[in-house]
Short mmCIF file of all heavy atoms in Angstrom, two decimals:
data_model
loop_
_atom_site.label_atom_id
_atom_site.label_comp_id
_atom_site.label_asym_id
_atom_site.label_seq_id
_atom_site.Cartn_x
_atom_site.Cartn_y
_atom_site.Cartn_z
N GLU R 231 13.81 -8.90 -14.33
CA GLU R 231 14.00 -7.47 -14.33
C GLU R 231 13.02 -6.81 -15.43
O GLU R 231 13.04 -7.24 -16.61
CB GLU R 231 15.41 -7.08 -14.66
CG GLU R 231 16.38 -7.56 -13.58
CD GLU R 231 17.84 -7.23 -13.99
OE1 GLU R 231 18.12 -6.83 -15.14
OE2 GLU R 231 18.75 -7.45 -13.09
N VAL R 232 12.17 -5.91 -14.95
CA VAL R 232 11.14 -5.33 -15.85
C VAL R 232 11.38 -3.86 -15.96
O VAL R 232 11.51 -3.17 -14.93
CB VAL R 232 9.76 -5.61 -15.29
CG1 VAL R 232 8.70 -5.05 -16.29
CG2 VAL R 232 9.50 -7.08 -15.05
N PRO R 233 11.64 -3.24 -17.15
CA PRO R 233 11.83 -1.86 -17.28
C PRO R 233 10.70 -0.98 -16.62
O PRO R 233 9.54 -1.32 -16.81
CB PRO R 233 11.89 -1.61 -18.80
CG PRO R 233 12.22 -2.91 -19.37
CD PRO R 233 11.63 -3.94 -18.41
N ASP R 234 11.13 0.00 -15.84
CA ASP R 234 10.15 0.92 -15.26
C ASP R 234 9.12 0.28 -14.30
O ASP R 234 8.04 0.71 -14.09
CB ASP R 234 9.37 1.75 -16.26
CG ASP R 234 10.30 2.52 -17.25
OD1 ASP R 234 11.23 3.12 -16.71
OD2 ASP R 234 10.01 2.53 -18.43
N ALA R 235 9.55 -0.83 -13.73
CA ALA R 235 8.70 -1.56 -12.74
C ALA R 235 9.63 -2.31 -11.78
O ALA R 235 10.80 -2.57 -12.06
CB ALA R 235 7.78 -2.50 -13.46
N PRO R 236 9.06 -2.68 -10.63
CA PRO R 236 9.96 -3.45 -9.65
C PRO R 236 10.37 -4.77 -10.24
O PRO R 236 9.65 -5.43 -11.00
CB PRO R 236 8.96 -3.66 -8.45
CG PRO R 236 7.92 -2.61 -8.60
CD PRO R 236 7.77 -2.44 -10.09
N SER R 237 11.59 -5.23 -9.91
CA SER R 237 12.07 -6.53 -10.24
C SER R 237 11.30 -7.55 -9.45
O SER R 237 10.78 -7.29 -8.35
CB SER R 237 13.59 -6.65 -10.00
OG SER R 237 14.30 -5.82 -10.87
N GLN R 238 11.22 -8.74 -9.98
CA GLN R 238 10.51 -9.83 -9.36
C GLN R 238 11.40 -11.04 -9.22
O GLN R 238 12.15 -11.34 -10.14
CB GLN R 238 9.21 -10.18 -10.17
CG GLN R 238 8.34 -9.04 -10.41
CD GLN R 238 7.21 -9.42 -11.36
OE1 GLN R 238 6.73 -10.53 -11.39
NE2 GLN R 238 6.70 -8.40 -12.12
N GLN R 239 11.28 -11.74 -8.11
CA GLN R 239 12.06 -12.94 -7.90
C GLN R 239 11.20 -14.10 -7.31
O GLN R 239 10.23 -13.81 -6.67
CB GLN R 239 13.29 -12.68 -7.09
CG GLN R 239 13.02 -12.14 -5.70
CD GLN R 239 14.29 -11.88 -4.90
OE1 GLN R 239 15.41 -12.16 -5.38
NE2 GLN R 239 14.19 -11.34 -3.76
N GLY R 240 11.68 -15.33 -7.57
CA GLY R 240 10.93 -16.45 -7.03
C GLY R 240 11.56 -17.72 -7.57
O GLY R 240 12.74 -17.72 -8.03
N THR R 241 10.78 -18.79 -7.58
CA THR R 241 11.20 -20.05 -8.20
C THR R 241 10.14 -20.57 -9.15
O THR R 241 8.92 -20.28 -8.93
CB THR R 241 11.47 -21.14 -7.11
OG1 THR R 241 10.27 -21.26 -6.34
CG2 THR R 241 12.60 -20.74 -6.20
N THR R 242 10.56 -21.27 -10.21
CA THR R 242 9.57 -21.71 -11.19
C THR R 242 8.67 -22.74 -10.58
O THR R 242 9.04 -23.59 -9.71
CB THR R 242 10.30 -22.30 -12.41
OG1 THR R 242 11.18 -23.36 -11.96
CG2 THR R 242 11.14 -21.20 -13.06
N GLN R 243 7.39 -22.73 -11.01
CA GLN R 243 6.46 -23.75 -10.65
C GLN R 243 6.07 -24.55 -11.88
O GLN R 243 5.50 -24.05 -12.79
CB GLN R 243 5.17 -23.03 -10.11
CG GLN R 243 5.39 -22.09 -8.94
CD GLN R 243 5.94 -22.84 -7.68
OE1 GLN R 243 5.41 -23.91 -7.35
NE2 GLN R 243 6.93 -22.24 -7.02
N ASN R 244 6.45 -25.85 -11.87
CA ASN R 244 6.28 -26.70 -13.04
C ASN R 244 6.95 -26.05 -14.24
O ASN R 244 6.50 -26.19 -15.39
CB ASN R 244 4.83 -27.02 -13.32
CG ASN R 244 4.64 -28.14 -14.34
OD1 ASN R 244 5.44 -29.04 -14.48
ND2 ASN R 244 3.52 -28.09 -15.02
N GLY R 245 8.04 -25.36 -14.04
CA GLY R 245 8.79 -24.68 -15.09
C GLY R 245 8.33 -23.30 -15.35
O GLY R 245 9.01 -22.57 -16.13
N TYR R 246 7.13 -22.90 -14.88
CA TYR R 246 6.55 -21.60 -15.24
C TYR R 246 6.97 -20.46 -14.36
O TYR R 246 7.09 -20.59 -13.11
CB TYR R 246 5.02 -21.67 -15.19
CG TYR R 246 4.40 -22.39 -16.43
CD1 TYR R 246 3.81 -23.66 -16.31
CD2 TYR R 246 4.44 -21.74 -17.70
CE1 TYR R 246 3.33 -24.29 -17.45
CE2 TYR R 246 3.91 -22.43 -18.82
CZ TYR R 246 3.35 -23.66 -18.63
OH TYR R 246 2.83 -24.32 -19.77
N ILE R 247 7.08 -19.30 -14.94
CA ILE R 247 7.08 -18.01 -14.29
C ILE R 247 5.76 -17.32 -14.68
O ILE R 247 5.70 -17.02 -15.92
CB ILE R 247 8.29 -17.16 -14.66
CG1 ILE R 247 9.59 -17.83 -14.22
CG2 ILE R 247 8.15 -15.74 -14.02
CD1 ILE R 247 10.87 -17.23 -14.82
N ASP R 248 4.84 -17.14 -13.84
CA ASP R 248 3.51 -16.62 -14.21
C ASP R 248 3.30 -15.31 -13.41
O ASP R 248 3.12 -15.36 -12.19
CB ASP R 248 2.46 -17.64 -13.94
CG ASP R 248 1.13 -17.36 -14.73
OD1 ASP R 248 0.95 -16.17 -15.13
OD2 ASP R 248 0.40 -18.27 -14.88
N THR R 249 3.30 -14.21 -14.10
CA THR R 249 3.23 -12.89 -13.36
C THR R 249 2.55 -11.87 -14.19
O THR R 249 2.02 -12.15 -15.26
CB THR R 249 4.70 -12.51 -12.99
OG1 THR R 249 4.67 -11.34 -12.17
CG2 THR R 249 5.55 -12.17 -14.30
N VAL R 250 2.59 -10.61 -13.74
CA VAL R 250 2.04 -9.51 -14.48
C VAL R 250 3.11 -8.39 -14.65
O VAL R 250 3.97 -8.27 -13.74
CB VAL R 250 0.77 -8.85 -13.83
CG1 VAL R 250 -0.40 -9.84 -13.81
CG2 VAL R 250 1.05 -8.38 -12.43
N VAL R 251 3.06 -7.76 -15.71
CA VAL R 251 3.98 -6.64 -16.06
C VAL R 251 3.23 -5.49 -16.61
O VAL R 251 2.08 -5.67 -17.02
CB VAL R 251 5.13 -7.08 -16.99
CG1 VAL R 251 5.99 -8.15 -16.42
CG2 VAL R 251 4.49 -7.51 -18.37
N PRO R 252 3.74 -4.30 -16.67
CA PRO R 252 3.03 -3.17 -17.31
C PRO R 252 2.67 -3.57 -18.74
O PRO R 252 3.44 -4.24 -19.41
CB PRO R 252 4.08 -2.02 -17.22
CG PRO R 252 4.86 -2.33 -16.08
CD PRO R 252 5.03 -3.79 -16.07
N ALA R 253 1.44 -3.15 -19.15
CA ALA R 253 0.92 -3.55 -20.44
C ALA R 253 1.82 -3.04 -21.62
O ALA R 253 1.82 -3.64 -22.67
CB ALA R 253 -0.46 -3.01 -20.64
N GLN R 254 2.57 -1.95 -21.38
CA GLN R 254 3.48 -1.44 -22.41
C GLN R 254 4.83 -2.10 -22.51
O GLN R 254 5.61 -1.69 -23.34
CB GLN R 254 3.65 0.08 -22.18
CG GLN R 254 2.37 0.87 -22.08
CD GLN R 254 1.46 0.79 -23.30
OE1 GLN R 254 0.44 0.04 -23.27
NE2 GLN R 254 1.74 1.51 -24.28
N THR R 255 5.07 -3.11 -21.64
CA THR R 255 6.37 -3.73 -21.64
C THR R 255 6.69 -4.42 -22.96
O THR R 255 5.83 -5.16 -23.52
CB THR R 255 6.45 -4.81 -20.45
OG1 THR R 255 6.21 -4.06 -19.22
CG2 THR R 255 7.79 -5.48 -20.47
#
Side-chain angles (χ1 to χ4, degrees):
E231 297 177 350
V232 183
D234 301 320
S237 295
Q238 305 175 28
Q239 59 183 353
T241 57
T242 58
Q243 305 293 320
N244 193 28
Y246 281 111
I247 300 169
D248 201 338
T249 185
V250 295
V251 297
Q254 305 302 99
T255 300

